[in-house]
């Protein structure tokens, strides 16, 4: 690396770090999407409705631009172009999700869609033909509406329903898929859905998040155990769940305690039961909920207790730790009644989230750029759960769709530098990195206005033409050189 580059790096970081900018040999780079956000073909063949189909179709006002995922990127038909893009980028892996109601229209394994089954087989085979590893998420928010009608994630039977679905997917694709994510971002499925009612299935209920929290952990654990017992001996793959973590930093020294509680609330509730040595809920949070529930007149804690058997059943159900990270917040003690809303809706504790005025924001309300946050987040995980392998399964930047997307390039550069520091200086075992997203797609209630893609998708064109942005070239270079120290860009 040139002296100039080292110096620039020192200036950007505000500290002098003279290591090189290479990633460790074998480090994996990829990009991600999810079924509802890209596939379209909402009623192709015998596919059944997901909660996102049902809700966006029944109330277009739910989404900022009145749109839905009926066609999205049309990846159901254009998957070969998707694989071609992955190839152009030089991805080592492509992370996508399976739509439960596409593969199993009845939700239960009594009926398999041959077309659904074939679609994912074709996509996996096309990836492998191009030397790209498929990484598959089983559940990225598109619950079968039929199961929502039975209570969805608030019904404890969902652990069995989900494990049955997982078994079907492992048995069809496990010979070729070696890395599985059971559930994407339970905090969104539980906290965001039940606290705000904004995302499908739009059930707002103040007691929903914590009940869902317990059920989602049992569902993940059951699906992990199905793989571990029935498939791992022959397929030797790995399974984990992906958690969204907003780095939460104390606003001042006096706020350290409240920041610990906020972290236990925002991620410990989903990670401690699985990754900690002792299992179960984080102790401080469990006590806080017991007190608060009593004061509020509940006869038992609102945070549903685990039996000893359940603690053991969930504990250790991982083969690596999957981290989705985008943004950060400062945390301070709130005045009575002031509560943090981002993702967690911490209504029961007086905690306030803030952003530092130096943090630039992206094109959506919750998005602020603080690259050091990802390094601190990784360090928090290492400190809590030891030398676990960390796989960054999502990270990326949103804008309004510039083709010369310098802000996105800068975001990737700065966040990846922090990942390198975590690996080289802090000795964290980060084994892979995933850009969100390979292409623009249906960004949930933001519709198609918020763009996360390395590739632009033209949603006005029936062909859904995909075109690489400047960031695609940058990311391809990083992958090619396995380094942030890359020569000047050439055309992709
Ligand atoms: C994640 C989610 C993705 C994508 C991304 C950007 O939370 O898993 O589906 O929408 O955020 O907002």
């Amino acid at each position: 690396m040139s002296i100039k580059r080292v110096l620039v790096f020192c200036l950007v970081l505000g500290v002098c770090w003279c290591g090189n900018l290479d990633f460790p040999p074998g480090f994996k780079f990829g990009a991600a999407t999810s079924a509802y956000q890209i596939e379209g073909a909402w009623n192709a063949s015998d596919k059944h409705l997901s909660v996102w189909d049902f809700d966006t179709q029944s109330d277009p006002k739910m989404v900022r631009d009145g749109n839905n995922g009926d066609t999205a990127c049309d990846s159901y038909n254009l998957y070969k172009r998707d694989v071609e893009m992955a190839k152009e980028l030089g991805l080592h892996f492509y992370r996508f999700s399976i739509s439960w109601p596409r593969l199993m229209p009845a939700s239960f394994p009594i009926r398999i869609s041959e077309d659904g089954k074939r679609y994912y087989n074709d996509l996996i085979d096309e990836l492998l033909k191009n030397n790209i590893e498929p990484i598959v998420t089983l559940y990225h928010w598109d619950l079968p509406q039929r199961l929502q009608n039975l209570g969805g994630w608030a019904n404890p039977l969902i652990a069995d329903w989900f494990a049955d679905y997982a078994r079907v997917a492992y048995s069809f694709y496990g010979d070729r898929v070696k890395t599985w994510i059971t559930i994407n971002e339970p905090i969104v499925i539980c906290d965001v859905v039940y606290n705000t009612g904004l995302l499908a299935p739009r059930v707002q209920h103040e007691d929903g998040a914590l009940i869902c929290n317990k059920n989602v952990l049992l569902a993940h654990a059951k699906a992990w155990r199905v793989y571990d017992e029935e498939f791992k001996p022959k397929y030797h793959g790995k399974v984990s769940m992906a958690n969204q973590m907003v780095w939460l930093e104390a606003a001042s020294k006096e706020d350290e305690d409240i920041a610990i509680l906020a972290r236990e609330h925002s991620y410990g509730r989903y990670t401690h039961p699985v990754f900690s040595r002792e299992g179960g809920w984080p102790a401080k949070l469990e006590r806080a909920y017991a007190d608060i529930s009593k004061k509020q007149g509940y006869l038992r804690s609102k945070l549903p207790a685990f039996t000893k058997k359940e603690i053991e059943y969930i504990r250790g159900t991982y083969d690596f730790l999957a981290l989705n990270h985008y943004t950060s917040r400062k945390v301070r003690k709130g005045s009575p009644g002031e509560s943090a809303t981002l993702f967690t809706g911490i209504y029961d504790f007086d905690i306030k989230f803030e952003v530092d005025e130096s943090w630039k924001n992206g094109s959506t309300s919750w998005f602020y750029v603080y690259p050091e946050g990802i390094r601190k987040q990784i360090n928090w995980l290492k400190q809590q759960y030891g030398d676990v392998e960390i796989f960054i399964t999502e990270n990326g930047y949103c804008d309004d769709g510039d083709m010369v997307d310098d802000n996105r390039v800068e975001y990737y550069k700065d966040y990846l530098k922090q990942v390198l520091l975590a690996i080289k200086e802090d000795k964290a075992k980060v084994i892979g990195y995933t850009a969100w997203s390979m292409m623009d797609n249906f960004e949930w209630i933001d519709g198609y206005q918020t763009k996360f893609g390395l590739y632009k998708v033209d949603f006005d064109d029936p062909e859904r033409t995909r075109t690489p942005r400047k960031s695609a070239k940058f990311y391809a270079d990083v992958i090619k050189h396995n380094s942030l120290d890359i020569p000047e860009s050439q055309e992709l």
Side-chain angles (χ1 to χ4, degrees):
M1 179 169 55
S2 69
I3 301 249
K4 200 171 119 207
R5 274 174 197 275
V6 174
L7 284 176
V8 169
F9 193 35
C10 293
L11 285 176
V12 171
L13 289 175
V15 288
C16 193
W17 182 61
C18 296
N20 69 35
L21 296 174
D22 298 346
F23 286 86
F27 190 83
K28 287 187 187 175
F29 285 103
T33 59
S34 86
Y36 186 73
Q37 293 177 279
I38 65 160
E39 283 176 3
W42 69 277
N43 61 351
S45 186
D46 48 349
K47 178 180 172 294
H48 216 276
L49 293 182
S50 76
V51 288
W52 276 93
D53 292 313
F54 184 81
D55 282 2
T56 55
Q57 289 173 7
S58 27
D59 179 9
K61 286 203 291 298
M62 167 183 180
V63 176
R64 192 146 69 103
D65 58 10
N67 259 304
N68 60 32
D70 283 5
T71 312
C73 307
D74 198 20
S75 287
Y76 186 71
N77 295 305
L78 300 176
Y79 73 92
K80 286 197 175 166
R81 172 66 183 127
D82 294 349
V83 176
E84 194 176 74
M85 290 174 343
K87 179 99 179 151
E88 286 166 2
L89 289 164
L91 302 186
H92 303 134
F93 66 88
Y94 173 55
R95 176 182 171 221
F96 63 92
S97 77
I98 294 178
S99 156
W100 185 344
R102 186 182 302 287
L103 187 62
M104 286 170 36
S107 316
F108 301 112
I110 50 171
R111 192 151 54 82
I112 302 299
S113 163
E114 284 311 314
D115 281 331
K117 181 180 175 188
R118 183 189 34 77
Y119 171 65
Y120 297 110
N121 262 327
D122 288 350
L123 173 57
I124 290 166
D125 289 343
E126 186 71 12
L127 285 164
L128 290 173
K129 208 168 88 192
N130 286 282
N131 273 324
I132 300 161
E133 184 192 341
I135 293 192
V136 174
T137 308
L138 290 170
Y139 183 82
H140 201 121
W141 309 356
D142 43 357
L143 188 74
Q145 179 62 36
R146 295 166 55 88
L147 296 184
Q148 183 53 39
N149 295 342
L150 299 176
W153 288 102
N155 186 333
L157 289 175
I158 197 152
D160 289 330
W161 304 338
F162 182 68
D164 292 348
Y165 158 58
R167 181 182 288 104
V168 168
Y170 300 146
S171 71
F172 289 166
Y173 310 119
D175 57 338
R176 286 154 293 154
V177 175
K178 302 298 169 191
T179 305
W180 295 87
I181 303 290
T182 52
I183 294 168
N184 184 68
E185 299 186 357
I187 193 161
V188 174
I189 299 163
C190 298
D191 293 58
V192 182
V193 166
Y194 287 102
N195 289 331
T196 72
L198 292 173
L199 303 189
R202 298 214 290 177
V203 178
Q204 188 170 17
H205 195 300
E206 61 192 28
D207 294 313
L210 299 177
I211 292 169
C212 169
N213 192 161
K214 179 175 173 182
N215 293 341
V216 105
L217 287 165
L218 285 164
H220 155 77
K222 201 157 224 168
W224 185 89
R225 289 185 182 283
V226 165
Y227 188 87
D228 199 55
E229 282 152 30
E230 301 171 30
F231 297 90
K232 200 170 194 171
K234 56 181 172 196
Y235 293 145
H236 314 290
K238 292 180 173 188
V239 183
S240 194
M241 87 199 295
N243 279 293
Q244 157 79 268
M245 299 189 193
V246 172
W247 170 243
L248 299 174
E249 184 160 295
S252 73
K253 277 229 149 26
E254 294 74 65
D255 297 310
E256 284 300 343
D257 270 359
I258 207 79
I260 292 173
L261 186 72
R263 284 181 216 126
E264 288 196 345
H265 197 281
S266 295
Y267 13 97
R269 258 186 310 127
Y270 295 99
T271 49
H272 194 273
V274 176
F275 298 96
S276 71
R277 240 175 243 156
E278 63 276 22
W281 299 119
K284 188 178 159 118
L285 187 73
E286 195 170 27
R287 281 195 301 276
Y289 262 116
D291 289 351
I292 259 186
S293 308
K294 210 175 192 176
K295 274 193 207 128
Q296 292 175 346
Y298 286 85
L299 295 182
R300 60 188 74 83
S301 177
K302 288 157 75 168
L303 189 65
F306 285 122
T307 62
K308 282 214 169 68
K309 219 168 140 198
E310 286 170 334
I311 291 176
E312 284 315 301
Y313 191 77
I314 297 169
R315 192 172 71 94
T317 53
Y318 66 92
D319 298 304
F320 60 95
L321 192 150
L323 166 66
N324 292 0
H325 174 87
Y326 290 89
T327 193
S328 296
R329 289 296 182 274
K330 299 263 181 194
V331 176
R332 70 165 173 79
K333 175 128 192 59
S335 344
E338 239 181 351
S339 61
T341 50
L342 183 88
F343 294 142
T344 55
I346 306 181
Y347 298 124
D348 290 315
F349 307 101
D350 303 328
I351 299 179
K352 185 80 182 140
F353 285 176
E354 288 170 346
V355 292
D356 193 281
E357 44 184 44
S358 67
W359 300 352
K360 285 193 267 176
N361 71 320
S363 64
T364 195
S365 56
W366 55 269
F367 199 101
Y368 287 87
V369 180
Y370 178 51
E372 291 82 352
I374 198 165
R375 180 180 179 187
K376 292 180 179 178
Q377 190 72 66
I378 292 168
N379 271 288
W380 183 86
L381 288 167
K382 184 167 150 52
Q383 179 228 327
Q384 297 283 317
Y385 308 126
D387 260 343
V388 54
E389 285 189 340
I390 298 173
F391 200 138
I392 299 167
T393 36
E394 282 182 35
N395 177 238
Y397 180 80
C398 58
D399 66 7
D400 293 327
D402 303 336
M403 291 308 288
V404 182
D405 51 344
D406 288 318
N407 288 338
R408 178 169 293 108
V409 171
E410 198 182 323
Y411 180 97
Y412 278 125
K413 212 183 267 177
D414 293 347
Y415 274 71
L416 279 166
K417 273 178 194 162
Q418 295 295 327
V419 172
L420 264 181
L421 283 167
I423 297 172
K424 298 196 173 190
E425 294 294 290
D426 314 332
K427 311 291 175 220
K429 270 201 210 143
V430 184
I431 56 167
Y433 176 89
T434 315
W436 182 276
S437 171
M438 186 161 79
M439 60 187 144
D440 294 339
N441 55 51
F442 178 78
E443 178 51 24
W444 310 114
I445 51 172
D446 276 356
Y448 296 102
Q449 285 174 355
T450 299
K451 318 280 189 186
F452 272 93
L454 294 166
Y455 279 69
K456 170 193 161 136
V457 176
D458 185 350
F459 293 103
D460 296 326
D461 177 357
E463 304 294 315
R464 295 296 193 266
T465 316
R466 283 100 152 110
T467 318
R469 295 200 167 98
K470 185 174 175 184
S471 55
K473 170 62 190 149
F474 168 76
Y475 195 47
D477 275 343
V478 172
I479 299 173
K480 187 163 147 209
H481 297 279
N482 197 39
S483 178
L484 288 173
D485 189 8
I486 46 176
E488 288 302 297
S489 291
Q490 302 126 28
E491 284 308 297
L492 184 71

